[in-house]
Amino acid sequence: MAVSCVRTSSEQEHTPKLDLGNSQSPLIFNPSMLNLQPNIPDQFIWPDHEKPSTEAPELEVPLIDLQDFLSNSSSPSATLEASRLISEACNKHGFFLVVNHGISEELISDAHEYMARFFDMPLSEKQRVQRKPGESCGYASSFTGRFSTKLPWKETLSFRFCDDKNSPNTVQDYFCHALGHEFEPLGKVYQEYCEAMSFLSLKIMELLGLSLGVSRDYFRAFFEENDSIMRLNYYPPCQKPDLTLGTGPHCDPTSLTILHQDHVNGLQVLVENQWRSISPNPKAFVVNIGDTFMALSNNRYKSCLHRAVVNSRSERKSLAFFLCPKKDRVVKPPRELLNSITPRRYPDFTWSMLLEFTQKHYRADMNTLQAFSDWLTDKPI
């Protein structure tokens, strides 16, 4: 969910500033080779206080049925109940599940199938779309070229989705141009998937608006023409899963995340200072708010720290759609959320500025938004 770059020393590793590695060639994350070794490289070993817990109890997450809300004959009572459940979740931890969401099982299945095909390709083929330093899209084998410590045990492919009539096929064009026309089927599937995620995101924004006492259309209108990010996550098995993490503890800097997990456990959320698990549900999407929406809500709804763990037996995959506003749209809360008791918590900013901050200056954690606000004092819009 990013002008000079900051590098941390070993004495500063408790700080969350970006660590861009050392002068040596970056480590190549090739799990099929690394898993032949008895131990994982030190760069993937996390500090003791951040190592995964052996057991994480299940988190009670509200299950929100959207069937009635999405229908043309939606009843006021169903809409009110859905917004109430979302408010309850966002006041506790910012995570909830949605079912009967209108996304076809076939499309979800195809998205998972093509993700498996991509990550099964030889490393050299995947590296054709290698993510460049300072950018948020492309292929990343762990983040070996970006960080030198606390590396995540994963591969990702990220690409942009633009809900703009002037750029109707952003995703499909990316796959064709970056990987070749033989990848057009992948592009078509992920284009359709992103369009479905964008539609669902805007409907959830209606419920978030209602839950905050703002008009139903306010946040929906704000995110029309969204400039979002789609990410395919692949977590290979790891011979030492108790030493590393698939994704480190962080809050999403984006606005809203819609995640679909495969059948393997891995997602954990920090609630009341305890890591708790959200088990996969093939019929449900996991939804959570991010830092940008926390700013839009004037801190009424807070983004929540979460992470992904790995295991020694099974690979794990997930599909993550990160809703982001149009890059030049100014992020500020609506007047309904401001008064003498609750003044502005964060300065005005654009998504492009927060994205630059997280990609070039700061490794996302639970303090990203506050650190970004402090950074803005030296870089006004």
Side-chain angles (χ1 to χ4, degrees):
M1 61 152 322
V3 155
S4 60
C5 297
V6 180
R7 182 179 169 189
T8 58
S9 67
S10 58
E11 292 80 10
Q12 296 171 313
E13 282 192 2
H14 65 282
T15 67
K17 293 178 181 179
L18 210 57
D19 184 352
L20 295 176
N22 51 42
S23 59
Q24 299 175 355
S25 299
L27 173 73
I28 300 298
F29 179 63
N30 189 339
S32 60
M33 297 297 295
L34 292 177
N35 276 324
L36 297 176
Q37 303 176 13
N39 296 300
I40 62 175
D42 290 344
Q43 295 96 319
F44 292 93
I45 298 176
W46 286 64
D48 288 343
H49 70 282
E50 290 185 295
K51 285 187 174 72
S53 51
T54 53
E55 292 185 7
E58 188 73 14
L59 177 65
E60 291 186 13
V61 185
L63 188 68
I64 301 172
D65 191 330
L66 296 180
Q67 184 169 11
D68 188 80
F69 175 69
L70 294 175
S71 69
N72 293 327
S73 57
S74 174
S75 68
S77 60
T79 299
L80 183 64
E81 176 64 7
S83 65
R84 184 192 69 79
L85 288 172
I86 283 180
S87 176
E88 182 180 304
C90 290
N91 279 304
K92 286 183 177 179
H93 44 63
F95 278 78
F96 53 93
L97 302 180
V98 295
V99 293
N100 291 323
H101 38 66
I103 314 300
S104 76
E105 292 183 7
E106 181 182 5
L107 178 58
I108 296 171
S109 177
D110 286 348
H112 276 283
E113 171 62 26
Y114 280 122
M115 174 166 50
R117 292 189 193 181
F118 176 82
F119 288 116
D120 281 345
M121 293 195 311
L123 180 62
S124 59
E125 287 294 300
K126 291 179 285 191
Q127 287 177 328
R128 290 168 54 196
V129 285
Q130 187 77 34
R131 185 168 167 176
K132 295 181 175 61
E135 294 186 359
S136 58
C137 293
Y139 168 73
S141 56
S142 183
F143 290 126
T144 55
R146 189 178 177 202
F147 307 133
S148 63
T149 61
K150 300 196 298 186
L151 294 179
W153 194 268
K154 69 174 179 180
E155 298 176 67
T156 60
L157 177 66
S158 307
F159 43 92
R160 177 188 177 204
F161 168 77
C162 188
D163 185 20
D164 186 345
K165 294 179 181 177
N166 296 320
S167 304
N169 295 308
T170 312
V171 176
Q172 188 172 329
D173 291 345
Y174 171 79
F175 276 87
C176 288
H177 293 159
L179 287 165
H181 285 283
E182 64 270 27
F183 286 86
E184 187 173 2
L186 277 77
K188 286 183 176 179
V189 165
Y190 290 120
Q191 180 73 45
E192 184 181 353
Y193 187 88
C194 288
E195 289 170 358
M197 290 296 101
S198 178
F199 175 83
L200 180 58
S201 298
L202 296 182
K203 297 302 289 185
I204 293 172
M205 280 296 159
E206 293 180 23
L207 291 172
L208 283 166
L210 291 170
S211 74
L212 286 165
V214 180
S215 72
R216 177 170 175 163
D217 294 332
Y218 184 88
F219 292 123
R220 177 189 178 90
F222 184 84
F223 285 98
E224 287 177 348
E225 298 186 327
N226 62 84
D227 200 333
S228 298
I229 299 170
M230 180 74 204
R231 179 167 297 157
L232 315 181
N233 296 306
Y234 173 63
Y235 303 94
C238 177
Q239 72 270 41
K240 299 288 185 180
D242 56 325
L243 299 180
T244 191
L245 288 168
T247 300
H250 70 286
C251 296
D252 296 334
T254 49
S255 300
L256 190 77
T257 303
I258 302 183
L259 180 80
H260 193 274
Q261 307 184 79
D262 67 3
H263 61 284
V264 180
N265 270 306
L267 175 61
Q268 295 183 353
V269 182
L270 188 67
V271 179
E272 297 176 349
N273 209 33
Q274 182 182 29
W275 287 106
R276 296 175 180 266
S277 175
I278 298 181
S279 296
N281 180 339
K283 295 185 179 299
F285 286 105
V286 183
V287 182
N288 67 276
I289 64 166
D291 289 341
T292 300
F293 193 82
M294 182 162 72
L296 279 171
S297 74
N298 202 38
N299 223 44
R300 285 270 297 274
Y301 291 166
K302 296 178 176 63
S303 52
C304 188
L305 206 66
H306 55 285
R307 68 184 185 183
V309 299
V310 294
N311 66 82
S312 60
R313 304 172 306 279
S314 303
E315 63 183 12
R316 176 176 177 264
K317 297 184 291 296
S318 66
L319 300 156
F321 179 83
F322 301 102
L323 179 71
C324 312
K326 197 173 181 180
K327 286 188 177 179
D328 61 356
R329 192 151 290 170
V330 178
V331 176
K332 59 182 178 181
R335 286 189 296 247
E336 291 91 331
L337 301 182
L338 302 174
N339 54 49
S340 58
I341 301 174
T342 54
R344 284 287 300 274
R345 291 295 304 271
Y346 306 103
D348 288 358
F349 64 90
T350 63
W351 164 239
S352 62
M353 296 184 72
L354 179 54
L355 182 62
E356 177 195 0
F357 181 71
T358 58
Q359 296 304 309
K360 295 182 179 179
H361 300 277
Y362 197 89
R363 187 169 184 170
D365 65 0
M366 66 186 303
N367 299 310
T368 304
L369 189 55
Q370 187 57 56
F372 172 64
S373 298
D374 296 340
W375 182 74
L376 281 178
T377 61
D378 296 323
K379 186 180 175 65
I381 295 177

